[in-house]
Amino acid sequence: KTTKPLLVGATLLTASSAFCYSMYLLRKKNETKVSKNNFLSRRNPHENKIHDEVGNVDISEENLPPHIRREIEKERRFEAKRELISMKSPMYDNVFMLDNNREPMCTISLKKARWYVRKGIAEWSSFIEHGNQSTDNGQEEAKCIKLLFEPSGGNYQNTGTPENLYLKSAKQNVCVACGSTDHHMRHYIVPYAYRTLLPDQYKTHMSHDIVILCPECHVSCEKLSKAKMKSMENALRDDLSKEVGIENAFCSPVVDDAELHHVRSCAIALARWRCTMPEDKIESHEKVVRGYLAGIVNAKCCGENEDGDKIMMKDEAQEHKKRILDRSVPLTKQQLQKACSVNYRVKNPHYISGSELVVRSLSGDAKKIENFVVDWRKHFIDTVNPKFMPVGWCVDNPVVCGRQDEGTSSEADCVKRW
């Protein structure tokens, strides 16, 4: 209703764009997403216009402030990438496996079910044949396979436990955080960088700690996981640095080589300010640069050249080295350029990647690894607050798959197993 311009930050808005901006703030407060379709369409979703009910003001996207147009463009790019980063097929096929006594054991993928049938150790079956059971709401009959042999071991007969309920229940292909049914991503509750370094029994046939998240929930969850990972790794690096006695010894994968950095500084000084430098400085800088270049010649002679140059014969190398060290022969522009472009950042011999550092701190101890996995499960529940977790999923469920071998230590006896 007003024709006065509105000053937002440093942007002067006209009446029409001010109206559109106020609508944006209102919708931003009530919704968590900025969408062009929601933002620019009130009556007709195919038109990018909003008509004021009072003054019939025509507002298009071009009249929006730059920062709002940037948000709309970000949303467009995100929508375009959503298809690329999401899974192409459902995560859970929910094929039930029955033992030879027609008792349900667990749910498996369709690929694994076909493998059992192809090997001749199982056959296709159905719940209607075994127990007169059917899927919920009278939907299509659930897929099952029945084993043709008697399975050995396993805890599937221990009814009433959360892990048994998790194994036998059908899983929903929805985001465990918000319940979204579109564009799913696999999320590793124990970060993949750590999980891949754990022993095989903690990751083989262990899908319990792999859940479904939509892209939005995945991004927000990853931010919190990265913060926890960073704090854990920094604490371990500080402890190791104190043990070694070198401050920040494990923090960076590369370190500055003081000698090579000095060579580069001397070469740059000679190339730029030689005419204004005193003679003694020129002489000392040239001595450093000539020494470095002579070392390169030795490397070429020994076959250690990294620049792809032709490797010199021994006599040729000695002659070239003498010319470089001869102060009466001035350094060429090409030689100075080579010294100026020296890479003084070298690999840190003390550096250990954060994931290796964390897994190494567990020392392969079964109880420590179990506590480590359970701690990440609790972190996921506390930060994401999921409302659609699979039936039977529990923080205290086992972390190891398979029976204990005879040669394993007694410390692993207290670790729960599937």
Side-chain angles (χ1 to χ4, degrees):
K1 293 182 180 181
T2 180
T3 58
K4 281 188 176 182
L6 176 65
L7 184 64
V8 180
T11 307
L12 189 65
L13 307 182
T14 61
S16 59
S17 58
F19 167 74
C20 197
Y21 180 73
S22 61
M23 279 198 59
Y24 168 77
L25 294 179
L26 181 60
R27 289 177 182 259
K28 187 69 174 176
K29 181 178 179 181
N30 297 330
E31 300 177 4
T32 58
K33 300 178 183 179
V34 179
S35 175
K36 176 187 172 183
N37 294 333
N38 295 336
F39 178 61
L40 293 177
S41 302
R42 175 184 288 179
R43 296 178 178 176
N44 190 345
H46 301 290
E47 294 180 3
N48 296 332
K49 297 180 180 180
I50 298 178
H51 298 279
D52 189 359
E53 296 177 358
V54 178
N56 195 26
V57 180
D58 186 15
I59 304 173
S60 60
E61 183 178 341
E62 290 74 16
N63 294 329
L64 295 177
H67 62 283
I68 300 181
R69 293 203 301 267
R70 284 195 298 269
E71 289 295 325
I72 295 175
E73 184 60 30
K74 287 180 183 178
E75 184 69 16
R76 286 200 192 102
R77 290 198 299 266
F78 184 78
E79 290 293 334
K81 293 181 180 179
R82 190 188 295 266
E83 296 281 349
L84 300 177
I85 62 178
S86 58
M87 293 188 295
K88 304 302 182 291
S89 59
M91 181 171 171
Y92 302 116
D93 294 324
N94 292 320
V95 179
F96 289 86
M97 178 186 287
L98 310 177
D99 63 7
N100 56 346
N101 295 322
R102 301 179 177 181
E103 291 293 331
M105 298 175 61
C106 61
T107 57
I108 60 175
S109 65
L110 186 60
K111 180 180 179 181
K112 184 175 290 187
R114 288 171 177 168
W115 181 88
Y116 274 95
V117 174
R118 189 170 63 250
K119 292 293 182 180
I121 56 179
E123 62 182 7
W124 292 107
S125 182
S126 66
F127 271 138
I128 294 179
E129 295 179 10
H130 310 299
N132 296 325
Q133 301 181 32
S134 61
T135 55
D136 297 337
N137 301 325
Q139 295 177 356
E140 184 181 354
E141 180 184 323
K143 294 182 179 179
C144 303
I145 62 169
K146 183 174 75 73
L147 298 180
L148 302 179
F149 62 94
E150 184 176 355
S152 60
N155 298 324
Y156 68 94
Q157 295 178 347
N158 300 332
T159 59
T161 59
E163 55 264 30
N164 185 266
L165 185 60
Y166 174 82
L167 288 174
K168 296 181 180 180
S169 63
K171 284 78 175 174
Q172 291 182 301
N173 286 293
V174 298
C175 172
V176 298
C178 65
S180 173
T181 58
D182 299 325
H183 304 105
H184 296 148
M185 299 179 66
R186 284 185 179 87
H187 178 77
Y188 294 85
I189 294 178
V190 179
Y192 186 79
Y194 299 155
R195 178 186 171 93
T196 189
L197 297 177
L198 292 176
D200 288 340
Q201 63 266 29
Y202 294 94
K203 52 189 178 182
T204 305
H205 303 296
M206 279 292 298
S207 60
H208 180 270
D209 296 326
I210 305 175
V211 295
I212 297 176
L213 286 180
C214 64
E216 292 84 357
C217 297
H218 178 76
V219 170
S220 60
C221 181
E222 278 295 301
K223 288 180 181 179
L224 299 172
S225 297
K226 293 290 184 184
K228 180 179 173 65
M229 292 170 64
K230 188 175 181 180
S231 63
M232 293 172 58
E233 294 167 7
N234 288 342
L236 290 172
R237 291 188 194 282
D238 293 341
D239 295 340
L240 282 177
S241 298
K242 292 177 181 178
E243 293 179 7
V244 176
I246 304 175
E247 187 177 359
N248 299 327
F250 299 89
C251 291
S252 176
V254 293
V255 293
D256 294 348
D257 189 304
E259 185 176 348
L260 292 178
H261 189 273
H262 183 53
V263 170
R264 181 174 177 270
S265 301
C266 292
I268 292 175
L270 290 173
R272 293 183 178 179
W273 304 292
R274 183 188 184 97
C275 58
T276 60
M277 291 171 59
E279 289 297 329
D280 58 338
K281 280 288 184 181
I282 294 176
E283 184 178 349
S284 64
H285 283 19
E286 281 192 350
K287 183 179 180 180
V288 173
V289 174
R290 289 178 188 274
Y292 168 74
L293 296 174
I296 294 179
V297 173
N298 286 336
K300 289 182 180 180
C301 179
C302 298
E304 299 175 2
N305 180 36
E306 298 179 356
D307 298 330
D309 298 335
K310 182 180 178 181
I311 297 178
M312 298 182 178
M313 300 300 292
K314 188 173 182 180
D315 295 340
E316 183 184 359
Q318 291 295 332
E319 186 66 26
H320 189 56
K321 182 177 178 181
K322 287 180 181 179
R323 288 199 302 270
I324 291 176
L325 296 176
D326 188 0
R327 296 180 182 177
S328 61
V329 180
L331 292 171
T332 63
K333 186 176 180 180
Q334 184 180 3
Q335 290 173 332
L336 283 177
Q337 183 62 36
K338 179 174 286 190
C340 288
S341 59
V342 62
N343 184 16
Y344 61 91
R345 298 183 69 83
V346 297
K347 186 177 179 180
N348 184 0
H350 301 290
Y351 178 76
I352 304 174
S353 66
S355 55
E356 292 179 357
L357 205 60
V358 172
V359 175
R360 187 181 297 183
S361 68
L362 302 175
S363 306
D365 183 80
K367 198 61 181 177
K368 286 184 178 179
I369 297 177
E370 182 184 31
N371 294 335
F372 177 75
V373 174
V374 170
D375 181 60
W376 275 105
R377 290 176 180 176
K378 292 178 180 177
H379 175 266
F380 178 77
I381 296 296
D382 294 340
T383 55
V384 179
N385 191 22
K387 302 178 180 60
F388 302 91
M389 293 296 283
V391 177
W393 193 98
C394 181
V395 170
D396 298 324
N397 277 348
V399 301
V400 182
C401 180
R403 292 172 295 173
Q404 183 181 352
D405 299 331
E406 295 180 359
T408 55
S409 62
S410 59
E411 295 179 359
D413 293 343
C414 57
V415 178
K416 295 173 65 176
R417 293 173 176 268
W418 287 100

